[in-house]
Amino acid sequence: MIKTQNDIESKTVVIGIGYLFVLFSCQLNYINRMKIQMKKWKLLLGTALVSVALLGCAKTNQPSSPEEAKKAQTVTIGYTQFPTNIDPADEYNGWFTVRYGVGETLFKMDDQLEPQPWLAEKIEHPSQLEWKITLRNDVTFQNGEKMTGAKVEASLKRLIEKSKRAADDLGIESIHSDGQTVTIKTKIEQPIMKNLLAEPYSVIVDVDGKAASDKAPVGTGPFLIKTYTPETGATLEAYSNYWGGKAKVAQVKIKYFSDPTAISAALQSKEVDAVYGLPYANLASFKKDRHYKISEKEGGRYLSYVYNFEDPYIADDQFRQALDTLVDKKTYTESLFKGAAVPATGPLPSSSDFALDKSVHEFNVEKAKKLLDEAGYKDTNGDGYREKDGKKVTIELLSFTRLPEMPLAIEASQQQLKEVGIEAKIRKVEVSAVATEKNYAFTPYAVVAAPIGDPYAYFNSAVKTGGVGNIGHYSNAEADKKIEELATETDQKKRIQLSKEIQALMDKDHGYTIIGFYKVAIVMNKSISHLESHPTDYYHVTNKLTKE
C-alpha cells in the first residue's frame, strides 16, 4: 500500500508525542528529587507539544489532496473555436498551434507588428532571391530532438507541399540547410520573408516526430499535447526542456464551447479559469467585478459580410450595392459590441499605414430602394416583396456562431432587407463549412487582414481571383495585377500605395462590407497572470502563464 504525505505526518505526530511522554516518565523520580527543575520540565513539555501541534497544522495551508494540488497547477481556458487538429499546414489551424503554446515560428510579431527573431537568431539577404537564416542553437523539439537546419528544412518543405496558401505566399523555389543555417531561394523577389515566416502556418515541427495525439505536431513550444479530442478539448503538459525555461504551470486544459453564451457561466462557476470568445454583451459585467481581470487589445480583427458572386442576384452590381447601402456600420458596431468596436473604412484598421483613407460606403435606406427600383426589382403585386422578371426575389443568408454577435447581425440585416422588400432566409451552418458553401447571397465573416504587419498575404489569399481564402469568388483583373505588383515591391511607400489602391477597387465594387473592428479580449479570474491578448490575436499561452 502506498503511504500518503498525510499518513507520514500523522505517524510522525504520534511517535513524537509518545516519545515525549516516555521521556517524561523516565525522569519523574529525578524530578521528585529535583523539584526545583519542575517548572523547567513543564515548560519544555509544553513547548514540545505546541511544536508538534503546529507541525500537524502547518499542512492545512497546502492542498489537502493530490487532486487539489494538481488542480492548483492546472489552468483551464475556454474557447469558442476548436479545430479538428492543430497541424499548422492545415488551413488556418496554425493559429491554434501557436495560441496553445505548442508551436513556434522562426520569427514573431511584436506589439507594433514588426517581425522579431524567435526560433531564428538572424536573417540575411545575400542576393535578390536568397534568404539565409541562422537558427538558435539551444532549441529542442518536445521529443528531445535538437532543432537543426535539416529539421527546419524538412518542416518548411512539408509546409509548401501541404498548404497551397503558404506555397503561394512564400514562392519558394528551393530550401537547403547546413548545420544551424537554412537558405531559402525564391522564384521571385520576396520582400516580406520575415513576416511570412512569422505567419502561424510557418510553425516549425519535427516531421519525423510522433506526438501523443495524431491531431497535433511535435513542436518547440512550452507545452506539448497529451490528449486532443475534437468537439471537446485538449490537455497540454509543460515541456520540461523548453528552451525558454520550463513553464510555471504544470498543465493547461483547453475546453471547447460550441455555445458562446455558456462560456460566461463556465467562468463564473470556476469550471474554467479564463475564456476567449466571451459575448460582448456580457463583457461589461466582468469589467465591474473585482474577481476578474481582462486583457483587451485593439487589433486588426474585423466583422464583415462577404458577398457570394456565384449567386445571380449578388452578381448584379446595383443589387449588391443596395445590400451594402443597407448596412448601418455605426449602429451595428455600437449595439453588437457594446463600445468595444469601431466602424471600418476598409479591411485594415486606421492605425495601419496601409489603411484605406475613405470609403464609398454610405448607410442610406432610400438610396438602396432607388438602386433596386432602377435595376428592375419592384413589387408589382403589392405583397410587400420585390420581383424580378416576374419572380419573387428571395435570397439566403448564412449564420454561424464563430462570434455570438454574428447571428445578431444577420437577423438585423434580414429585418432591414424585409423593410425594402427583399425576402431573406437564414440558414445556420457550421463555421468549418462556410468556405465550401455555394448557395447563399452573403455570410458574416471575421478576419485579421494583416496579423504579420503587411497585407500582401491577405490580398493574395482572400481578394485575388482564385485565392484559397476568396470564399465569395470576388474577381477584379485590375486588383489582381496590383496584387502581383505588391508581391515583389521592395519600396515600402509603394507597397502602401498599392495596398490602398487594391482596397479602393474592393470598396468601389462593393465586394465586401467591412462592418467594424472589434477588440479581442481574454477574461480571466484574478488568480491568473501572464495570459494576454495580442494585436495578432494568436499569441496566448506562454511559459510565463501563472496561477496563484
Side-chain angles (χ1 to χ4, degrees):
M1 182 176 68
I2 298 173
K3 294 181 179 181
T4 67
Q5 183 66 30
N6 285 346
D7 293 334
I8 295 169
E9 289 180 356
S10 298
K11 189 171 181 179
T12 301
V13 170
V14 172
I15 293 171
I17 294 174
Y19 172 78
L20 289 169
F21 274 103
V22 170
L23 183 63
F24 178 72
S25 297
C26 292
Q27 295 294 329
L28 189 57
N29 290 333
Y30 177 77
I31 294 171
N32 287 333
R33 293 192 304 268
M34 303 291 293
K35 288 183 179 180
I36 193 169
Q37 298 293 328
M38 183 61 74
K39 289 183 180 180
K40 182 176 179 180
W41 273 103
K42 286 182 179 179
L43 178 61
L44 177 62
L45 179 60
T47 302
L49 290 172
V50 169
S51 298
V52 172
L54 288 174
L55 177 65
C57 293
K59 58 189 173 69
T60 61
N61 291 328
Q62 303 299 320
S64 59
S65 70
E67 290 77 15
E68 287 193 16
K70 189 172 183 180
K71 186 176 179 181
Q73 285 299 308
T74 299
V75 174
T76 303
I77 309 172
Y79 282 92
T80 54
Q81 273 187 297
F82 192 71
T84 55
N85 66 69
I86 55 169
D87 180 350
D90 189 2
E91 297 184 351
Y92 287 84
N93 293 356
W95 284 59
F96 303 91
T97 321
V98 176
R99 272 184 184 170
Y100 301 161
V102 173
E104 299 166 319
T105 48
L106 294 173
F107 295 88
K108 181 179 183 179
M109 305 308 296
D110 63 19
D111 286 346
Q112 288 71 48
L113 295 182
E114 292 291 338
Q116 305 296 338
W118 200 5
L119 294 180
E121 280 190 350
K122 64 179 180 178
I123 187 167
E124 299 167 277
H125 197 22
S127 70
Q128 189 179 29
L129 300 181
E130 283 185 305
W131 293 91
K132 183 179 179 181
I133 302 161
T134 301
L135 306 173
R136 293 185 65 98
N137 199 40
D138 57 351
V139 178
T140 59
F141 290 98
Q142 292 151 350
N143 56 4
E145 292 287 325
K146 182 178 179 179
M147 184 192 74
T148 61
K151 291 284 187 182
V152 172
E153 176 186 346
S155 181
L156 293 176
K157 282 182 175 178
R158 174 184 181 272
L159 169 65
I160 59 178
E161 287 172 4
K162 290 197 65 174
S163 172
K164 184 179 185 302
R165 180 168 69 94
D168 289 349
D169 289 349
L170 290 160
I172 292 175
E173 175 71 31
S174 64
I175 309 172
H176 298 289
S177 61
D178 181 14
Q180 290 301 105
T181 64
V182 177
T183 301
I184 297 174
K185 186 175 181 180
T186 56
K187 299 171 185 176
I188 57 176
E189 191 167 8
Q190 178 52 270
I192 57 166
M193 182 60 77
K194 279 196 299 184
N195 304 68
L196 294 172
L197 292 176
E199 219 283 352
Y201 57 46
S202 297
V203 164
I204 301 302
V205 302
D206 185 356
V207 172
D208 300 319
K210 187 175 181 180
S213 169
D214 62 0
K215 306 296 182 184
V218 175
T220 62
F223 288 91
L224 55 89
I225 291 287
K226 296 300 290 182
T227 64
Y228 195 97
T229 308
E231 304 298 325
T232 302
T235 302
L236 295 82
E237 184 179 280
Y239 172 45
S240 58
N241 292 321
Y242 176 58
W243 64 272
K246 186 177 178 180
K248 296 183 182 300
V249 295
Q251 190 177 77
V252 171
K253 288 186 177 181
I254 305 297
K255 187 173 179 63
Y256 170 58
F257 290 84
S258 58
D259 179 6
T261 58
I263 207 167
S264 299
L267 182 59
Q268 290 172 323
S269 67
K270 297 185 178 180
E271 179 184 349
V272 296
D273 300 299
V275 298
Y276 174 85
L278 187 80
Y280 283 82
N282 298 344
L283 193 59
S285 62
F286 285 99
K287 285 183 176 180
K288 295 175 184 176
D289 193 327
R290 62 182 178 83
H291 296 97
Y292 301 94
K293 51 188 177 182
I294 299 173
S295 176
E296 197 173 32
K297 289 281 187 182
E298 290 186 6
R301 185 169 288 282
Y302 66 76
L303 175 64
S304 69
Y305 286 159
V306 175
Y307 297 104
N308 176 20
F309 281 75
E310 292 189 344
D311 180 274
Y313 292 124
I314 295 300
D316 183 330
D317 291 345
Q318 280 192 260
F319 185 88
R320 191 174 64 255
Q321 184 182 354
L323 265 57
D324 176 73
T325 306
L326 286 171
V327 179
D328 184 355
K329 294 183 180 183
K330 185 175 185 295
T331 299
Y332 276 31
T333 52
E334 289 177 354
S335 61
L336 293 175
F337 295 98
K338 309 300 179 184
V342 294
T345 300
L348 297 161
S350 58
S351 58
S352 170
D353 292 337
F354 297 91
L356 182 66
D357 298 316
K358 188 176 181 180
S359 171
V360 298
H361 170 86
E362 62 172 312
F363 169 60
N364 189 325
V365 176
E366 294 306 313
K367 181 179 178 179
K369 291 179 180 178
K370 184 179 179 181
L371 285 165
L372 292 168
D373 288 340
E374 290 174 351
Y377 299 90
K378 296 181 179 181
D379 179 9
T380 59
N381 58 13
D383 67 349
Y385 291 102
R386 295 173 183 268
E387 300 92 35
K388 180 71 181 285
D389 300 328
K391 183 181 179 181
K392 180 181 176 181
V393 178
T394 301
I395 63 174
E396 192 165 74
L397 316 179
L398 300 186
S399 178
F400 54 94
T401 54
R402 161 66 182 83
L403 289 174
E405 291 74 22
M406 283 179 168
L408 300 177
I410 285 294
E411 288 166 12
S413 290
Q414 181 188 42
Q415 183 60 35
Q416 189 77 68
L417 287 163
K418 182 179 180 180
E419 291 175 7
V420 298
I422 300 294
E423 182 182 52
K425 295 181 179 180
I426 297 175
R427 178 160 58 93
K428 294 182 179 180
V429 297
E430 293 296 323
V431 62
S432 59
V434 174
T436 56
E437 287 289 338
K438 296 184 181 298
N439 301 315
Y440 68 95
F442 65 85
T443 180
Y445 216 59
V447 177
V448 181
I452 58 172
D454 185 282
Y456 166 70
Y458 164 76
F459 294 139
N460 193 49
S461 173
V463 180
K464 189 177 180 180
T465 303
V468 294
N470 187 350
I471 64 171
H473 310 286
Y474 171 75
S475 181
N476 182 304
E478 189 178 353
D480 290 347
K481 184 179 178 182
K482 291 182 182 296
I483 293 169
E484 290 174 5
E485 289 179 44
L486 184 63
T488 58
E489 182 55 65
T490 58
D491 184 278
Q492 186 69 358
K493 289 183 179 179
K494 290 181 180 179
R495 292 188 69 82
I496 291 171
Q497 184 57 37
L498 279 168
S499 297
K500 291 186 176 186
E501 290 171 2
I502 294 165
Q503 291 172 84
L505 291 169
M506 296 164 57
D507 188 52
K508 183 180 177 182
D509 288 341
H510 304 284
Y512 311 77
T513 297
I514 314 296
I515 298 172
F517 292 94
Y518 57 93
K519 294 178 181 179
V520 290
I522 301 175
V523 186
M524 66 205 85
N525 66 52
K526 64 180 182 180
S527 68
I528 304 300
S529 299
H530 302 293
L531 181 61
E532 299 175 358
S533 293
H534 191 274
T536 60
D537 200 20
Y538 47 72
Y539 300 124
H540 287 183
V541 176
T542 72
N543 63 328
K544 295 179 181 179
L545 175 65
T546 56
K547 182 178 181 180
E548 296 176 359

